[in-house]
Amino acid sequence: MDQSSSSSFVDTSLDLTIGVTRMRVKEDSTTSALVDELNRVSAENKKLSEMLTLMCENYNVLRKQLMEYVNKSNNMTERDQTSPPKKRKSPARDDAVSSAVIGGVSESSSTDQDGQYLCKKKQREETVVKENVSRVYYKTEASDTTLVVKDGYQWRKYGQKVTRDNPSPRAYFKCACAPSCSVKKKVQRSVEDQSVLVATYEGEHNHPMPSKIDSNNGLNRYISLGGHTAPAKGSSSLAEPVTESKKVTSPSRMDIPEVQKLLVEQMACSLTKDPNFTAALAAAVTGRLYQQNQTEK
DNA sequence: CGGATTTGACCCGCGC
DNA sequence: GCGCGGGTCAAATCCG
């Protein structure tokens, strides 16, 4: 946790300051006007850089707070999940080692009489024998009643159910590339926080993400839950859906440099959308070019 | 009209 | 064996 928060700090100081050297101001009034303008712009750039740095600091502070909050609520939910004696065991892929199914009741307990039964059972197990199961949390508008999670992949909804432990319905999705890609996901609102969508992924896509844009610009935002169940891990990130994998084999798909890169990209993206910023940036670049021109002469 | 979504019915595992 | 509950199927419906 500490590791991640410290390592996730991204030095975003863009060094936009254009050390405008005191140029030999010509008597020419237009030149002096230009220099004035350059000075003004460079000061503005300085200001912008400071603002950006401040924003980053604020972001880090907020992120820390969110982590703490999430960890707290997570501890609570874990207690909630363990304490009430559930009548039924939740499915293997949801809460236990999924390989328990692989071992196969069929092997040890198979008898002649239920051969046919086991045949069917095996068929089903094949679909159950999984793969990686991961859970991802998405922050959405509480008023948003759709169970759509824009994670970049295309999904086909094939069912919806109201489950006992959660009043909000659970939606079932298959990857749109099925049957070639057998990834499934379940999406349900969190019991504690209706604005949080919990997506449970089963399996891994065997094809590239069709649209990366959606994953970044969608309605939903991944929320960083570095230590949802394992706070010690702390591999948190802004955009990477933190997977709460049930199997050891699940790779951590993004390391810190990548996280930083992504973070910077996101910041750059939001900044470039601001016309004021782009104007200032253009001015800064022009200023720099102008400066170079002057020194070359 | 074709693909996506909805929704009731059905299947199957599990506990009693 | 029965009933409950989660997961899936598939016909009906919606929508671009």
Side-chain angles (χ1 to χ4, degrees):
Chain A
M1 177 68 83
D2 291 334
Q3 275 181 348
S4 67
S5 54
S6 60
S7 59
S8 67
F9 176 78
V10 180
D11 181 15
T12 52
S13 56
L14 296 177
D15 192 21
L16 294 173
T17 52
I18 315 171
V20 177
T21 52
R22 290 176 204 281
M23 288 172 252
R24 308 232 170 264
V25 183
K26 289 182 185 175
E27 295 72 30
D28 189 19
S29 61
T30 55
T31 316
S32 65
L34 276 173
V35 170
D36 283 349
E37 179 68 10
L38 267 176
N39 283 328
R40 193 187 62 78
V41 167
S42 80
E44 205 174 312
N45 282 335
K46 244 184 199 172
K47 224 185 254 178
L48 279 169
S49 304
E50 283 164 11
M51 276 170 67
L52 192 57
T53 315
L54 200 74
M55 249 172 59
C56 287
E57 281 168 10
N58 286 340
Y59 162 73
N60 277 320
V61 169
L62 277 171
R63 210 174 64 109
K64 252 187 198 169
Q65 285 175 356
L66 178 65
M67 298 288 201
E68 282 165 16
Y69 170 76
V70 161
N71 281 336
K72 264 186 202 168
S73 62
N74 180 50
N75 288 341
M76 280 169 70
T77 54
E78 278 194 345
R79 252 182 301 163
D80 287 348
Q81 280 170 357
T82 50
S83 57
K86 277 194 176 176
K87 192 182 171 188
R88 282 172 208 286
K89 213 168 64 176
S90 40
R93 55 177 170 277
D94 268 352
D95 81 334
V97 197
S98 44
S99 62
V101 190
I102 303 171
V105 199
S106 51
E107 289 296 327
S108 55
S109 68
S110 68
T111 56
D112 296 336
Q113 56 188 6
D114 37 26
Q116 196 183 347
Y117 166 75
L118 284 172
C119 208
K120 275 186 184 174
K121 193 175 173 179
K122 256 190 180 175
Q123 269 188 341
R124 200 164 186 88
E125 273 177 10
E126 274 171 16
T127 65
V128 172
V129 168
K130 296 280 172 5
E131 285 138 323
N132 298 335
V133 177
S134 56
R135 200 173 295 172
V136 183
Y137 299 79
Y138 294 88
K139 182 78 181 167
T140 83
E141 297 292 327
S143 55
D144 184 15
T145 53
T146 61
L147 287 168
V148 177
V149 160
K150 295 193 177 179
D151 52 11
Y153 287 97
Q154 286 195 309
W155 300 93
R156 174 174 301 199
K157 191 176 179 182
Y158 68 91
Q160 182 164 318
K161 264 262 161 145
V162 175
T163 55
R164 226 172 57 115
D165 52 346
N166 192 337
S168 51
R170 174 184 297 170
Y172 299 90
F173 297 89
K174 276 179 187 169
C175 180
C177 297
S180 65
C181 176
S182 59
V183 181
K184 289 177 194 170
K185 83 171 172 185
K186 292 178 278 190
V187 180
Q188 191 171 30
R189 296 200 170 276
S190 167
V191 192
E192 293 90 22
D193 189 351
Q194 293 287 304
S195 65
V196 172
L197 285 176
V198 183
T200 309
Y201 292 84
E202 294 175 16
E204 278 187 13
H205 296 277
N206 53 14
H207 56 91
M209 188 183 286
S211 73
K212 273 211 161 181
I213 302 152
D214 278 359
S215 65
N216 286 334
N217 292 349
L219 288 170
N220 310 301
R221 300 224 169 106
Y222 299 124
I223 61 172
S224 169
L225 290 172
H228 183 65
T229 48
K233 278 188 178 176
S235 62
S236 58
S237 68
L238 182 71
E240 158 79 345
V242 175
T243 56
E244 181 192 323
S245 179
K246 301 295 173 192
K247 288 187 87 177
V248 197
T249 53
S250 173
S252 133
R253 279 173 285 189
M254 196 179 281
D255 52 10
I256 299 298
E258 277 174 296
V259 172
Q260 288 184 351
K261 200 174 138 193
L262 223 130
L263 192 62
V264 171
E265 273 172 11
Q266 280 192 340
M267 284 178 165
C269 182
S270 54
L271 279 172
T272 49
K273 277 177 189 161
D274 183 359
N276 291 332
F277 178 79
T278 45
L281 190 65
V285 172
T286 324
R288 178 77 81 177
L289 287 172
Y290 177 76
Q291 187 194 343
Q292 274 181 351
N293 262 351
Q294 292 294 314
T295 51
E296 275 171 16
K297 277 181 188 175

